[in-house]
Amino acid sequence: MFEALGRFLFRRRKPLLVLTLLFAVLSGAYGVGVFGDMKPGGFEDPGSDSRKAAQIAERAFPQRAPDAVVVYRDKTRTVDDPAFQKSVSETVQALPKSSVSGYSTFWMTKMPAQVSHDRHATYVAINLQGSDDNAKEVSYKAIKDKLAAPGLETLRGGPVPTGHQASDEIGKDLGLAEGLSFPVLFILLVIVFGGLAAASLPLFVGGLSILGSMAVLRVIAQLTDVSVFAMSLVTILGLAVAIDYGLLIVSRYREELERGHTGEQALSRTVATAGRTVVVSGTTVAVALAGMTFFPFGFLKSMAYGGVAAVVLSVFFSLIALPAVLGVLGARVNALALRRNKAPRKDGQGGWYRLAQGLMRRPAIVAVGTLAVLLALAVPFTRVEFGANDARQLPNSAEGRQVGNALDRDFDSDATKSIDSLLVLKGDATSPQQGAALKSYANRLAATKGATGAQISGATGTNARISVTFDGPAVSTPARDLVNRLKAVPPPPGAQAYFGGETAVFDDTLDALGETLPWMLLYIAVATYLLLFLAFGSLLLPLKAIVMNLLSLSATFGVLVWVFQDGHLEGLIRFDSTGNIEPNMPIMLFALIFGLSMDYEVFLVSRIREQYDLLGDSTAAVASGLQKIGRLIVNAALLMCVPLAAIATSGVLTMKLFGVGMVFAILADVAIVRILLVPAAMKLMGRAAWWAPGPLARFYSKYGIKESDEAPEVKQPVPVAG
């Protein structure tokens, strides 16, 4: 099947190349508009009780928790100065009602908590028009340049401004990462290939993938909300995966040329071998990323849309456009060489072959040692603490971070923090009977362990709001435990209670993640197992690959907890630990790392399987396969780490965690799992690694994902020492 595709691509190479260039122009022209179609937010479950509570509050009451917090400060004057009051009051009074639904100043509320300890600063709490994050973002953009008070230092913070500033910071960081990555990647590719022509081809595939993914995301954005963060994944993943696949295709094509094949034969063999591997690898990555669509959060769904688009297009262009270019270039793929290519080594020679021999002499020791290292790295993950994003994710230079620091340092406790019970009643909330029932309910809530008080903060029509105060951070395990205890308190007869506020949102988020995660894991495990069986015809190899991936992931999560939650390496990596991990990040990292780790597993085992079909001996196939693919896997991993390492320099904590986590996962997976553990495990399994019961073996023979329908010629096994 793949051989026939290779021959077709060679014969239609010029028209295909013209169509590729036309696609690049059209997708680039259309896709650039995606930035205006994407939305902020997407971190909440739209079907949760806390979301229903927010909708009730939006409809029935002035919003209690502010969307924006603006700090005004003067070095010489205090808030008691009439000029200070006039400057702030006139500024907020001039804000358009089309964007602002309400605001509160110290001079309106007389709340001491709104004045700093030295009385030289105050904050204004602002509520924005809009029923969701997207609408509030639009409202904030309309007023953000109108918030500066004459003669006063102005700092804009709070949930919506902080999210807006984070998006801007991420956009700048991505632009810088792309600007740094392309030249560095090109230099490294020149070193890997030893020539300018070959080095440019993986970047060509990466550019096509990014342009195409932008166009796909814009189409999806017309049908559903797509998070602004999806573009960051498209840029980085599209470039990284395309370079991996381009490196594999170009390397194999040059290898076929070195064997004396020319033209159609070289291209058909390349597509049959490396092309098949790319299809299997890309499908496993896309399957893993698609698992994020199981969750109700727009953020994770958007990451799935962008990631799957980037991977699928990388596979498509690596399998169609790149072979067409290679068919046009032919031997000129080695043009502009900067060094003479070394003669290919024969089986039984080379450092990778000797390394495989050494590992397979003591496979049990190697396996136990690598497992011990991975499990030790995973231990910190057993004490992970989850928390929501806040201003601390921004660099100290950001206004939102400065507002958060000022509120913590210069002001008393947050006067707007509470857990709100939004009630839907059967009767009029203002009637004496309902009033007595509400007061009794508020007293029961106030008496709940962990609560410091509760009061009726709103009553209109058939809706009422009870606000519960408490000590400590709003996003924490004790606060979450309090929410669950409050939910257990019976509401007034006939009433339905929905709990809202930052703590309730956090609790609902973790509940939704916990409920959905097992189904995502089951889907990924089953789909990956079936794909790998169709690729290798083995009953045990897919199971081995899944277990090894889980070990690699556990080690990565352990390291992330040790670094980012515990605060180790703060000075080196330049971040401030928040003492927790944002819960969406492990889910996204799981899908990405699982898929990319399986990428390298498919690269390696495909070459081993190819050698096993030729040699008929499992041990010899492992040594020969590692010799042929080991250097390429290491090069691919290092190249993939370039854009990810650039992301790790971001000033936004979540992006830094993402970059560091991905770089560690890829390097650890290649160095520990693929190079050390896989050969040892293959040796321990022996021929059983390729075993499948009769019916399944016949199924694989008929339907398996193979290079061609012809059986390979089996040669005499090559002896391997030990």
Side-chain angles (χ1 to χ4, degrees), residues 366-486:
V366 173
V368 171
T370 52
L371 287 174
V373 170
L374 292 172
L375 292 174
L377 292 173
V379 168
F381 188 56
T382 59
R383 49 183 172 77
V384 64
E385 289 285 340
F386 294 113
N389 282 332
D390 57 27
R392 291 175 296 172
Q393 71 171 314
L394 294 172
N396 284 316
S397 59
E399 283 187 68
R401 177 67 180 274
Q402 293 176 34
V403 168
N405 292 341
L407 293 177
D408 292 338
R409 181 186 64 244
D410 302 332
F411 293 78
D412 289 332
S413 59
D414 185 357
T416 64
K417 181 187 71 177
S418 67
I419 298 170
D420 296 330
S421 175
L422 278 299
L423 296 162
V424 179
L425 307 169
K426 283 192 172 181
D428 185 358
T430 60
S431 69
Q433 181 181 2
Q434 289 291 353
L438 289 173
K439 185 175 181 180
S440 175
Y441 177 56
N443 290 336
R444 295 196 301 275
L445 293 178
T448 303
K449 180 183 177 182
T452 59
Q455 63 177 352
I456 302 172
S457 57
T460 181
T462 58
N463 297 120
R465 180 177 63 195
I466 312 294
S467 297
V468 182
T469 56
F470 59 97
D471 292 327
V475 177
S476 63
T477 299
R480 188 185 179 209
D481 292 340
L482 173 59
V483 165
N484 287 301
R485 287 193 292 269
L486 293 173

Side-chain angles (χ1 to χ4, degrees), residues 228-500:
V228 293
F229 295 99
M231 200 59 228
S232 62
L233 186 62
V234 162
T235 302
I236 299 304
L237 188 63
L239 183 60
V241 173
I243 286 177
D244 261 13
Y245 298 157
L247 182 64
L248 185 66
I249 295 285
V250 175
S251 295
R252 187 58 185 253
Y253 183 72
R254 297 176 82 196
E255 184 181 324
E256 295 298 333
L257 291 179
E258 289 171 355
R259 290 178 176 176
H261 298 148
T262 58
E264 183 175 334
Q265 188 178 17
L267 195 62
S268 65
R269 286 300 303 155
T270 297
V271 174
T273 53
R276 169 192 174 276
T277 300
V278 164
V279 169
V280 175
S281 297
T283 304
T284 56
V285 177
V287 162
L289 292 173
M292 289 189 284
T293 61
F294 280 53
F295 296 93
F297 309 103
F299 170 77
L300 290 177
K301 289 180 180 292
S302 298
M303 289 299 181
Y305 302 149
V308 171
V311 171
V312 170
L313 287 173
S314 293
V315 171
F316 177 79
F317 290 120
S318 296
L319 196 65
I320 304 298
L322 183 54
V325 175
L326 292 173
V328 171
L329 290 177
R332 287 172 294 178
V333 70
N334 295 316
L336 304 176
L338 302 182
R339 59 176 167 80
R340 181 177 297 177
N341 292 327
K342 297 180 180 179
R345 294 183 182 273
K346 299 178 181 179
D347 288 344
Q349 299 178 0
W352 290 105
Y353 195 93
R354 291 191 293 272
L355 174 62
Q357 286 181 320
L359 294 172
M360 290 188 289
R361 289 193 186 100
R362 300 288 186 271
I365 294 175
V366 173
V368 171
T370 52
L371 287 174
V373 170
L374 292 172
L375 292 174
L377 292 173
V379 168
F381 188 56
T382 59
R383 49 183 172 77
V384 64
E385 289 285 340
F386 294 113
N389 282 332
D390 57 27
R392 291 175 296 172
Q393 71 171 314
L394 294 172
N396 284 316
S397 59
E399 283 187 68
R401 177 67 180 274
Q402 293 176 34
V403 168
N405 292 341
L407 293 177
D408 292 338
R409 181 186 64 244
D410 302 332
F411 293 78
D412 289 332
S413 59
D414 185 357
T416 64
K417 181 187 71 177
S418 67
I419 298 170
D420 296 330
S421 175
L422 278 299
L423 296 162
V424 179
L425 307 169
K426 283 192 172 181
D428 185 358
T430 60
S431 69
Q433 181 181 2
Q434 289 291 353
L438 289 173
K439 185 175 181 180
S440 175
Y441 177 56
N443 290 336
R444 295 196 301 275
L445 293 178
T448 303
K449 180 183 177 182
T452 59
Q455 63 177 352
I456 302 172
S457 57
T460 181
T462 58
N463 297 120
R465 180 177 63 195
I466 312 294
S467 297
V468 182
T469 56
F470 59 97
D471 292 327
V475 177
S476 63
T477 299
R480 188 185 179 209
D481 292 340
L482 173 59
V483 165
N484 287 301
R485 287 193 292 269
L486 293 173
K487 288 179 178 179
V489 176
Q496 178 67 49
Y498 300 96
F499 282 84

Side-chain angles (χ1 to χ4, degrees), residues 586-652:
I587 302 297
M588 185 176 70
L589 286 172
F590 179 93
L592 278 166
I593 295 169
F594 189 95
L596 293 175
S597 296
M598 201 61 74
D599 222 19
Y600 296 122
E601 173 78 4
V602 173
F603 281 16
L604 178 57
V605 178
S606 291
R607 204 62 192 256
I608 293 174
R609 175 78 208 201
E610 185 181 335
Q611 293 302 302
Y612 178 75
D613 288 341
L614 291 172
L615 304 174
D617 180 88
S618 182
T619 303
V622 171
S624 182
L626 188 61
Q627 172 62 40
K628 292 178 179 295
I629 200 70
R631 178 175 175 270
L632 186 144
I633 288 178
V634 171
N635 287 336
L638 293 175
L639 289 167
M640 181 175 282
C641 286
V642 169
L644 295 171
I647 284 296
T649 65
S650 172
V652 179

Side-chain angles (χ1 to χ4, degrees), residues 27 40 114 116 141 154-155 231 299 350 359 463 473 476 530 583 592 626 645 684 696 700:
S27 61
Q114 281 189 264
S116 64
K141 288 180 180 178
T154 304
L155 295 173
M231 200 59 228
F299 170 77
L359 294 172
N463 297 120
S476 63
L530 293 175
L592 278 166
L626 188 61
L684 290 172
L696 290 179
Y700 169 74

